[in-house]
Amino acid sequence: MDLTNRQLNILKAIVKDYIETAEAVGSRTISKKYDLGVSAATIRNEMSDLEDLGYLIQPHTSAGRIPTQKGYILYVDTLMGGTELEDYEKEILQKLFKDNFNRVDNLIEELSKTLSNLTNYTTIAVYDSGKDTHTIKYIQLVNLSENKILLIVVSDEGDIKSREFDTTEDLPQAKLNLISSNLSNKLSGKKISELDENMISYIKYEIGEYSEIVDDLVSLLNTSSKEEDYKISMNGATNIFYYPEFNDMVKAKSFLNMLEEKESLAKIIDEKGIQKDNLNIVIGKNDDTLSTDLSIITATYNVQDNLKGKISFIGPTRMDYSKIYSILNYMSLLLDGK
């Protein structure tokens, strides 16, 4: 069922008011603060209909309404516009870019810190140095003991990566030497970024019954690449305590625990949500990745053609989506040098 323009305007007003106050919104409040051209009684009836449709919820009897996840999604997807940044906010960001634009690592670190201070949200910057220096020189497999092998990868710069893993059968060193030679011949001079699915499938086919070794090799290379090529900058982890809905220590502790789980955090940042320009917006989900009380806004960016990554804002579901949207759009202009 499509909402009427009046219902959309009322929903938009309720979301904006709740983001600002964190208090359930009543019909009289909407009538006084927003010029919608209808009476409080009419607004109350429309709010009741919006509740029946799943866009609002009444947390307590005789209380006003607050948006549901469905209500936030509609607001962000179709109703939200940008807001003009304050002059001082623009000046802070301009100065940051001017002072650090030729020091890329420092720029990202300072940017994450500054954005957290400006918004009172937690910010996470994940960025790739873009150097892509991991080029394979040779691969060696060593028999450690029965059904246990040491995998060694040496790069052209002399870096050594290794990992022990188990095999389904005991492979003699002579056989491991042949496999090592085969892998080295096929992968020497290749960068990790060049190991796409087609190449991996081809190598596994060539290795045949020992293809499980290729899986361990790819896992080692990808892990090493992420650990060394990608850096993470997190700021404002305790900002969540500014928001009354997280005065509940159980919720707050759960949030802080989530920030400590790097793998889970990476999944959340990469999770597909509402696409708006270059932003990905995930609004509180009831699953094992993101709490229903949280939302995350992520932007993908490039700097000077040699750095790419993502910056994310994490906050309560009533976070100021419009403000973050405007900040990230302004950031994009600065990154593009406009």
Side-chain angles (χ1 to χ4, degrees):
M1 174 182 175
D2 292 335
L3 301 186
T4 65
N5 285 335
R6 185 162 67 193
Q7 288 173 325
L8 291 172
N9 287 332
I10 291 172
L11 177 61
K12 182 178 180 180
I14 291 172
V15 173
K16 290 176 64 177
D17 203 82
Y18 185 62
I19 286 173
E20 181 181 340
T21 67
E23 296 180 357
V25 186
S27 56
R28 292 186 62 186
T29 299
I30 298 300
S31 178
K32 290 179 179 180
K33 290 180 66 173
Y34 302 91
D35 183 18
L36 300 180
V38 293
S39 67
T42 300
I43 293 173
R44 186 161 52 251
N45 290 334
E46 295 286 23
M47 289 171 67
S48 179
D49 289 341
L50 288 168
E51 183 178 2
D52 291 340
L53 292 170
Y55 293 100
L56 299 175
I57 190 172
Q58 191 172 27
H60 306 289
T61 305
S62 76
R65 269 81 167 183
I66 65 175
T68 62
Q69 180 194 29
K70 184 178 179 180
Y72 282 122
I73 289 174
L74 179 61
Y75 169 76
V76 169
D77 202 19
T78 62
L79 302 176
M80 180 188 74
T83 58
E84 182 66 25
L85 299 186
E86 299 287 345
D87 288 341
Y88 81 89
E89 294 172 322
K90 291 181 179 180
E91 290 172 2
I92 288 173
L93 292 174
Q94 288 170 2
K95 186 175 188 306
L96 185 149
F97 274 77
K98 181 179 178 181
D99 292 346
N100 298 283
F101 199 73
N102 292 321
R103 299 154 60 200
V104 173
D105 287 2
N106 196 61
L107 168 62
I108 301 304
E109 173 66 31
E110 291 301 315
L111 185 58
S112 178
K113 187 185 303 180
T114 299
L115 292 177
S116 179
N117 290 335
L118 283 177
T119 62
N120 278 337
Y121 297 126
T122 301
T123 59
I124 300 173
V126 183
Y127 52 101
D128 174 14
S129 65
K131 296 176 183 178
D132 197 18
T133 58
H134 295 269
T135 300
I136 299 168
K137 185 175 183 180
Y138 69 86
I139 297 163
Q140 181 64 53
L141 297 163
V142 179
N143 187 315
L144 293 178
S145 62
E146 186 175 352
N147 300 109
K148 187 175 289 292
I149 290 174
L150 176 65
L151 169 63
I152 303 171
V153 180
V154 180
S155 76
D156 59 346
E157 295 180 350
D159 294 328
I160 300 174
K161 309 299 174 190
S162 64
R163 175 181 295 173
E164 295 180 19
F165 63 93
D166 298 323
T167 59
T168 55
E169 62 177 296
D170 185 23
L171 298 174
Q173 187 60 52
K175 173 62 73 174
L176 292 177
N177 288 341
L178 289 174
I179 298 173
S180 300
S181 178
N182 197 344
L183 288 173
S184 294
N185 288 338
K186 289 178 171 55
L187 295 176
S188 179
K190 299 290 185 184
K191 294 181 179 180
I192 296 173
S193 59
E194 295 176 317
L195 301 185
D196 57 19
E197 290 185 7
N198 290 334
M199 179 176 290
I200 293 169
S201 296
Y202 168 70
I203 294 171
K204 291 175 75 170
Y205 174 78
E206 289 287 302
I207 298 296
E209 59 184 308
Y210 307 114
S211 61
E212 64 181 16
I213 293 175
V214 179
D215 292 328
D216 287 286
L217 171 62
V218 171
S219 175
L220 173 62
L221 292 175
N222 285 336
T223 301
S224 299
S225 175
K226 289 177 181 178
E227 288 175 351
E228 297 185 10
D229 285 346
Y230 283 86
K231 297 183 180 180
I232 296 178
S233 174
M234 181 187 300
N235 286 278
T238 58
N239 282 350
I240 201 70
F241 295 113
Y242 286 114
Y243 301 96
E245 52 266 62
F246 282 86
N247 287 341
D248 181 337
M249 290 306 297
V250 174
K251 286 185 179 180
K253 185 176 180 180
S254 177
F255 173 77
L256 295 176
N257 287 340
M258 180 193 74
L259 296 183
E260 292 178 3
E261 296 291 334
K262 301 301 183 184
E263 290 185 7
S264 297
L265 202 56
K267 287 181 180 179
I268 293 171
I269 292 174
D270 290 336
E271 188 168 346
K272 187 174 177 59
I274 299 170
Q275 304 297 306
K276 202 168 187 71
D277 296 336
N278 71 323
L279 305 187
N280 182 64
I281 304 171
V282 179
I283 297 173
K285 298 183 68 175
N286 188 19
D287 57 22
D288 60 355
T289 56
L290 189 65
S291 164
T292 54
D293 301 310
L294 295 170
S295 290
I296 180 166
I297 303 177
T298 301
T300 302
Y301 56 88
N302 291 279
V303 181
Q304 299 178 334
D305 296 325
N306 71 340
L307 178 113
K308 56 185 178 181
K310 297 178 180 180
I311 187 161
S312 300
F313 291 80
I314 303 179
T317 49
R318 67 174 187 89
M319 69 192 302
D320 194 342
Y321 300 96
S322 181
K323 178 77 169 183
I324 304 303
Y325 175 73
S326 299
I327 286 175
L328 291 174
N329 275 343
Y330 190 71
M331 259 181 51
S332 295
L333 295 176
L334 294 175
L335 286 168
D336 292 338
K338 296 179 180 178

